[in-house]
Amino acid sequence: MSPSTYPDVMDKLVSLCKRRGFIFQSSEIYGGTGSVWDYGPLGVELKRNIKDRWWNAMVRARDDIEGLDAAILMHPRVWEASGHVAGFTDPLIDCRNCKKRFRADDPKIKGTPGTPDAQCPACGMKGTLSEPRMFNLMFKTFMGPVEDSAAVVYLRPETAQGIYVNFLNVQQSTRQKVPFGIAQIGKAFRNEITPGNFIFRTREFEQMEMQFFVDPEGDHMQWFEYWKAQRMAWHRALGLAESRLLFHQHTKEELAHYARAAFDIQFDFGGTLGFQEIEGVHHRGDFDLSRHQEYSGKKLEYFDQPNNRRYVPFVVETSVGADRTTLAVLVNGYREESVEGEAEGRTVLGIHPSLAPIKAGVFPLVKKDGMPEFAEKLSAELRKSFPVFYDESGAIGRRYRRQDEVGTPFCITVDGQTMEDGTVTVRDRDTLAQERVAADRVGGIIAERLQA
Amino acid sequence: MSPSTYPDVMDKLVSLCKRRGFIFQSSEIYGGTGSVWDYGPLGVELKRNIKDRWWNAMVRARDDIEGLDAAILMHPRVWEASGHVAGFTDPLIDCRNCKKRFRADDPKIKGTPGTPDAQCPACGMKGTLSEPRMFNLMFKTFMGPVEDSAAVVYLRPETAQGIYVNFLNVQQSTRQKVPFGIAQIGKAFRNEITPGNFIFRTREFEQMEMQFFVDPEGDHMQWFEYWKAQRMAWHRALGLAESRLLFHQHTKEELAHYARAAFDIQFDFGGTLGFQEIEGVHHRGDFDLSRHQEYSGKKLEYFDQPNNRRYVPFVVETSVGADRTTLAVLVNGYREESVEGEAEGRTVLGIHPSLAPIKAGVFPLVKKDGMPEFAEKLSAELRKSFPVFYDESGAIGRRYRRQDEVGTPFCITVDGQTMEDGTVTVRDRDTLAQERVAADRVGGIIAERLQA
């Protein structure tokens, strides 16, 4: 991986996101919760817009994909079948003296853990560090009144298993025929030892996953190629720069033993973080359904009626992080630029208009001569169609800047001429061009541009 | 509470919901997970439509309410401040012999627990039952590598606290002025001892909560009355029958010690379940913000600039269950009726067209003469605007019935006349009236009726 040619804007984004209400640290007044974040008023709308775009593209616009919303708490056997109980682990080292734990690759550890010369980085004792032991990344809890091993359930570490265990329920209730898919948006949880990079790797996150079921004797590799292309096109349509997106093919070492092929879609987050996975498109063969057949004792076969054939389908999975995509959209859109003829520059969130939390700012030029009343009425009218923000405080230039940095694509100003002829100015966030249009046409014009 | 005059349709609904893909038992192939449910293809759309209606009414249509999406995992001190660690409990009884646990009100227990004559319903021993002890209903888990008391975090038992701890973050980033509200949709978890009644009381559920912050020296009681009326109107606009909705005022015994007034909106689920809470509208005073001030040591005061006054606002809360509302919509809509001139009756899900998972069925009358091609093309065209279902299998009457029982408001049939003059029939789910309209006008007509 070569270092990124894009600048590192993460610290600036974290600050902007807090100040303007995109993303707050969770439980901040209590000192925060480790690597968990809350979406504020603008962040929740941005993320909703991204999730809705995915749902519309993957479910509502197609007749071969069904939606699902499976629960976070699942039967514990699910995670034995999936391999998470045995294999979803990181190596950790214990100190027998002070009982602290460390990642096996913690650079503060001196010497070889498990030998007499290794020194604990916390209490300083020698020879007390254990050999590395595997630590499971699933959060566990207890269901029912008794906290014993029989009551253990896990917070799902991925949404995909909810789709697999419901494969026949969905297929039979919808009468879908293979090939078809099941799609789901939902929270997942991983007790990461070293989370970080803002909302890139968090302990609580949201996935948008689709499992596409195909005939193992049919054109499954073509479907794999189809989904690779579809998903890359989706990210580009979000407005992510082509130069920041690439496919990373899993090497033999990276590839899961059951996988037939796997590509990640990576996005260049800039700075030292650089290219990182935002989505995986994986050909998983019949591993998942076969394992659930084995562990549940229930058949998960598809019956191909015309050919009188029963089989366990192959699965092509597309799995994208809603939080990572939100971060990619923010990073991709963030820019600082100088403005001709002005001493101060501006910060712009150049995000796709369809994703912008606020579609239009509405301003009276000054707080008199009926302009606030006109602007407030216009604002209320436009709010019936899309989110708008009414602002009458401060100089007009400052109000434009406030909308620029939260990505509002249009600003509408009510001025002296409005009071004479009913026209307003519409300013474009990116070109800074202002055009004068009749106030009663402005809603239609903006709605049209949001579709484009 | 008088028994319901409406019939008990729950068993029939559970069966319909599984068969048609509204709601499945979670992890069914493994024998299920206790009182946790998965939403299937039709259920996820129905619930999304309900949640979107709430979000649009409470956030997007207003300029005085901001959205939020706080995390499920919060700092554990949050639940000390809220009172959940100390008080969110149910009484349980242990058997010292067999280690089993029982609810204190379990009718199988004979004698007085804690005395020598009490008999364990599981092992049959006498004198082994403990006195009732309080059991906390929060799910707990451990964050980080060490499973000790310092690492305990809880799955939130309600979303409201995420709003309180973010009160100043939201207020300052949006520059809102009191009175204003913060609204959130999200999952919450309660380790209920006796959950049940399908999706009425579950261990994992979804809330739609709004906290409205008001001046304690102002017209807070008027705001309370305002929100009572608004929320009742919202349920009625969903199509819930007026005769099935009522306000239940909390008695002195029910009222929390800090609450100034509290009303529940109850819905009549029929049968023995009868009237049950689906929403709470509660005047919580300054209890929550004051407690978080105390426990966090951080001021949570609003600064009223014009009057140079600082105060902790009062809170009017509206809290509605997304799953309970979904169940209410299903129960309210379910009906079986006879059809004039037909031997078999029909089952109808008479839900509001805007909530229906599928807006239109599209059928070729017969599978020949170009009708399937015409109908598939029309179906693809309509799908750009709203969810449709194409169906060519079985007799036309059977296809109508299949759409009736999932609440599809319109069915469009392509027949012989279509091939001559380009008109189709549009059948209304409720009136059964069929009108003939030009195929290229049908999308506009249905879109219009969905708005109504």
Side-chain angles (χ1 to χ4, degrees):
Chain A
M1 195 87 45
S2 52
S4 174
T5 56
Y6 286 95
D8 181 353
V9 299
M10 207 64 90
D11 288 347
K12 287 174 177 172
L13 257 187
V14 172
S15 159
L16 169 65
C17 283
K18 174 173 160 55
R19 186 166 43 84
R20 297 307 308 274
F22 280 92
I23 298 163
F24 308 123
Q25 196 184 6
S26 169
S27 308
E28 191 189 80
I29 62 170
Y30 289 99
T33 309
S35 286
V36 179
W37 300 86
D38 293 348
Y39 285 80
L42 297 186
V44 64
E45 293 293 343
L46 171 61
K47 195 177 171 192
R48 273 181 82 96
N49 291 338
I50 290 170
K51 290 191 288 182
D52 284 351
R53 260 184 96 105
W54 188 87
W55 191 259
N56 288 335
M58 300 296 278
V59 181
R60 290 194 172 168
R62 305 181 63 110
D63 60 359
D64 61 351
I65 299 187
E66 301 289 343
L68 183 75
D69 185 11
I72 289 166
L73 301 174
M74 302 181 73
H75 195 286
R77 287 279 283 171
V78 168
W79 308 111
E80 294 174 27
S82 70
H84 283 83
V85 168
F88 192 55
T89 52
D90 260 3
L92 290 187
I93 285 159
D94 287 294
C95 172
R96 275 184 294 273
N97 180 48
C98 71
K99 312 293 180 201
K100 287 254 161 52
R101 281 190 180 174
F102 312 92
R103 266 186 75 113
D105 58 1
D106 191 324
K108 297 192 299 294
I109 294 175
K110 299 200 173 61
T112 307
T115 66
D117 67 310
Q119 191 177 329
C120 172
C123 69
M125 288 279 277
K126 264 196 171 178
T128 56
L129 292 183
S130 72
E131 286 186 25
R133 292 188 314 169
M134 298 316 280
F135 162 74
N136 198 291
L137 298 182
M138 286 194 292
F139 282 99
K140 76 175 184 194
T141 185
F142 304 95
M143 189 179 278
V146 187
E147 289 183 10
D148 64 12
S149 59
V152 166
V153 292
Y154 301 98
L155 307 194
R156 65 178 174 201
E158 62 175 36
T159 59
Q161 303 301 325
I163 292 177
Y164 298 131
V165 299
N166 279 302
F167 165 65
L168 277 191
N169 266 339
V170 171
Q171 190 269 318
Q172 289 168 355
S173 61
T174 60
R175 301 185 290 148
Q176 281 282 3
K177 291 179 178 57
V178 166
F180 78 98
I182 304 176
Q184 161 159 254
I185 298 177
K187 287 266 176 102
F189 300 81
R190 294 180 186 177
N191 196 2
E192 302 275 1
I193 304 305
T194 49
N197 287 309
F198 198 25
I199 55 169
F200 179 76
R201 178 171 283 113
T202 55
R203 290 190 168 124
E204 174 178 339
F205 55 100
E206 203 158 15
Q207 294 186 308
M208 307 189 283
E209 296 198 313
M210 191 280 296
Q211 315 289 323
F212 203 75
F213 301 93
V214 292
D215 186 339
E217 292 178 14
D219 45 4
H220 50 90
M221 283 313 296
Q222 274 144 275
W223 277 111
F224 179 69
E225 293 302 327
Y226 169 84
W227 280 114
K228 265 178 66 187
Q230 283 284 312
R231 295 305 307 150
M232 181 60 98
W234 186 82
H235 289 285
R236 287 185 181 150
L238 280 188
L240 300 186
E242 280 208 43
S243 58
R244 298 188 94 137
L245 288 166
L246 57 76
F247 278 116
H248 164 74
Q249 181 170 14
H250 281 213
T251 61
K252 268 189 187 155
E253 290 71 38
E254 290 173 288
L255 207 61
H257 67 89
Y258 51 82
R260 299 191 160 230
F263 281 79
D264 292 339
I265 295 174
Q266 294 188 338
F267 173 80
D268 184 350
F269 286 91
T272 51
L273 191 55
F275 278 96
Q276 298 286 344
E277 177 191 351
I278 53 174
E279 173 150 9
V281 182
H282 297 178
H283 187 324
R284 302 177 62 94
D286 62 6
F287 175 75
D288 308 278
L289 291 179
S290 294
R291 291 276 289 195
H292 284 300
Q293 278 203 152
E294 185 189 335
Y295 279 71
S296 71
K298 300 269 164 44
K299 286 277 177 220
L300 289 176
E301 288 175 341
Y302 173 73
F303 179 50
D304 174 4
Q305 206 157 16
N307 299 304
N308 196 26
R309 236 179 97 221
R310 281 180 201 280
Y311 60 83
V312 176
F314 277 2
V315 168
V316 175
E317 168 185 72
T318 73
S319 170
V320 57
D323 308 276
R324 286 188 182 184
T325 305
T326 302
L327 184 58
V329 165
L330 288 167
V331 165
N332 184 80
Y334 185 91
R335 65 176 193 264
E336 295 169 2
E337 59 186 29
S338 55
V339 182
E340 215 187 294
E342 290 189 23
E344 268 184 82
R346 65 174 191 151
T347 299
V348 186
L349 216 47
I351 58 181
H352 194 291
S354 73
L355 300 181
I358 301 168
K359 305 306 183 191
V362 183
F363 315 142
L365 182 62
V366 290
K367 260 199 270 189
K368 57 179 186 182
D369 303 335
M371 294 181 206
E373 293 75 13
F374 192 104
E376 282 200 88
K377 210 178 139 202
L378 178 60
S379 171
E381 187 56 35
L382 295 176
R383 185 172 292 114
K384 292 177 192 164
S385 309
F386 44 76
V388 298
F389 186 77
Y390 173 81
D391 192 0
E392 59 175 34
S393 71
I396 189 79
R398 201 167 138 68
R399 282 179 267 166
Y400 283 144
R401 297 290 176 273
R402 280 202 286 252
Q403 293 308 311
D404 288 342
E405 70 168 7
V406 299
T408 305
F410 306 104
C411 285
I412 303 160
T413 301
V414 169
D415 56 15
Q417 195 175 329
T418 310
M419 309 317 292
E420 286 167 22
D421 64 7
T423 63
V424 295
T425 62
V426 179
R427 169 189 177 269
D428 182 282
R429 176 194 69 198
D430 298 318
T431 65
L432 296 177
Q434 297 199 20
E435 56 180 321
R436 187 165 278 280
V437 298
D440 56 5
R441 283 189 52 233
V442 78
I445 290 171
I446 291 177
E448 212 169 274
R449 292 188 191 166
L450 291 175
Q451 299 292 327
Chain B
M1 194 90 43
S2 52
S4 175
T5 55
Y6 287 94
D8 181 354
V9 298
M10 207 63 91
D11 289 347
K12 286 174 177 172
L13 256 187
V14 172
S15 160
L16 170 66
C17 282
K18 173 172 161 53
R19 186 166 42 83
R20 298 306 308 274
F22 280 92
I23 297 162
F24 308 124
Q25 196 184 6
S26 169
S27 308
E28 191 189 82
I29 61 170
Y30 289 99
T33 308
S35 287
V36 179
W37 300 86
D38 293 347
Y39 286 79
L42 297 186
V44 64
E45 293 293 342
L46 171 61
K47 194 177 172 190
R48 271 181 83 94
N49 291 339
I50 290 170
K51 290 191 289 182
D52 283 352
R53 260 184 96 105
W54 188 88
W55 191 260
N56 288 335
M58 299 296 277
V59 180
R60 290 194 172 168
R62 304 182 64 109
D63 61 359
D64 61 351
I65 298 187
E66 301 288 343
L68 182 74
D69 184 11
I72 289 167
L73 301 175
M74 303 183 71
H75 195 287
R77 287 279 285 172
V78 168
W79 308 110
E80 293 174 27
S82 70
H84 284 82
V85 168
F88 192 55
T89 52
D90 259 3
L92 290 185
I93 286 160
D94 288 293
C95 172
R96 276 185 292 273
N97 180 49
C98 72
K99 312 293 180 200
K100 288 251 161 53
R101 283 190 179 174
F102 312 90
R103 270 185 71 115
D105 58 2
D106 191 325
K108 297 192 299 296
I109 294 175
K110 297 200 175 59
T112 306
T115 66
D117 68 308
Q119 189 177 333
C120 173
C123 70
M125 289 280 277
K126 264 196 169 174
T128 57
L129 291 183
S130 73
E131 286 186 25
R133 292 189 314 168
M134 298 316 277
F135 163 73
N136 198 291
L137 298 183
M138 287 194 289
F139 282 100
K140 77 174 182 195
T141 184
F142 304 95
M143 188 178 280
V146 187
E147 290 184 7
D148 64 12
S149 59
V152 166
V153 292
Y154 301 97
L155 306 195
R156 66 178 175 202
E158 62 175 36
T159 60
Q161 302 301 325
I163 292 177
Y164 297 131
V165 300
N166 278 303
F167 164 65
L168 277 192
N169 267 339
V170 171
Q171 189 271 318
Q172 289 168 355
S173 61
T174 60
R175 301 184 290 148
Q176 281 281 3
K177 291 179 177 57
V178 167
F180 78 98
I182 305 177
Q184 161 159 256
I185 299 177
K187 287 264 175 102
F189 300 82
R190 294 178 187 180
N191 195 3
E192 302 275 1
I193 305 304
T194 50
N197 287 310
F198 198 24
I199 57 169
F200 179 75
R201 179 171 283 115
T202 56
R203 291 189 168 126
E204 174 178 340
F205 55 101
E206 203 158 15
Q207 294 186 310
M208 306 188 284
E209 296 198 315
M210 192 280 297
Q211 315 290 323
F212 202 75
F213 301 93
V214 292
D215 186 339
E217 292 178 16
D219 45 4
H220 50 91
M221 284 311 297
Q222 274 144 276
W223 278 111
F224 179 70
E225 292 302 327
Y226 169 85
W227 281 114
K228 266 180 64 186
Q230 283 284 312
R231 295 305 306 152
M232 182 60 98
W234 186 82
H235 289 285
R236 288 184 181 151
L238 281 187
L240 300 186
E242 281 208 40
S243 57
R244 299 188 93 137
L245 287 167
L246 57 76
F247 278 116
H248 163 73
Q249 181 169 13
H250 281 213
T251 61
K252 268 189 187 156
E253 290 70 38
E254 290 172 289
L255 206 61
H257 67 90
Y258 51 80
R260 302 193 158 228
F263 282 79
D264 293 337
I265 296 174
Q266 294 188 338
F267 173 79
D268 184 351
F269 287 91
T272 52
L273 190 56
F275 278 96
Q276 298 287 342
E277 178 192 350
I278 53 173
E279 173 150 9
V281 181
H282 298 178
H283 187 323
R284 301 177 61 94
D286 63 7
F287 176 75
D288 307 278
L289 291 178
S290 295
R291 291 276 288 194
H292 284 300
Q293 277 202 154
E294 185 188 336
Y295 278 72
S296 70
K298 300 268 163 45
K299 285 277 176 221
L300 289 176
E301 288 175 341
Y302 172 73
F303 179 49
D304 174 3
Q305 206 156 17
N307 299 306
N308 196 25
R309 235 179 99 221
R310 281 179 201 280
Y311 60 84
V312 176
F314 277 2
V315 168
V316 175
E317 168 185 72
T318 73
S319 170
V320 56
D323 308 276
R324 286 188 182 185
T325 304
T326 302
L327 183 59
V329 165
L330 288 167
V331 166
N332 184 79
Y334 185 91
R335 65 176 193 263
E336 295 168 4
E337 57 186 29
S338 56
V339 182
E340 213 186 296
E342 291 187 24
E344 270 184 80
R346 64 173 191 153
T347 299
V348 186
L349 216 46
I351 58 181
H352 194 291
S354 73
L355 300 181
I358 301 168
K359 304 306 183 192
V362 183
F363 314 143
L365 184 61
V366 290
K367 257 199 271 190
K368 57 179 185 183
D369 303 334
M371 292 181 208
E373 293 76 13
F374 191 102
E376 281 200 90
K377 211 178 136 202
L378 178 61
S379 171
E381 186 57 34
L382 295 175
R383 185 171 292 113
K384 292 176 191 164
S385 309
F386 45 76
V388 298
F389 186 77
Y390 174 80
D391 192 359
E392 58 175 35
S393 70
I396 190 77
R398 201 167 137 69
R399 282 180 266 166
Y400 284 143
R401 296 292 175 271
R402 279 202 288 252
Q403 293 308 311
D404 288 343
E405 72 170 5
V406 299
T408 306
F410 306 104
C411 286
I412 302 159
T413 301
V414 170
D415 57 15
Q417 193 174 331
T418 310
M419 308 318 290
E420 286 167 23
D421 64 7
T423 62
V424 296
T425 62
V426 179
R427 169 189 177 270
D428 183 281
R429 174 194 70 198
D430 298 319
T431 65
L432 296 178
Q434 297 198 18
E435 56 180 321
R436 187 165 278 279
V437 299
D440 56 6
R441 282 189 52 232
V442 78
I445 289 170
I446 290 178
E448 210 169 275
R449 291 190 191 165
L450 291 174
Q451 299 292 327

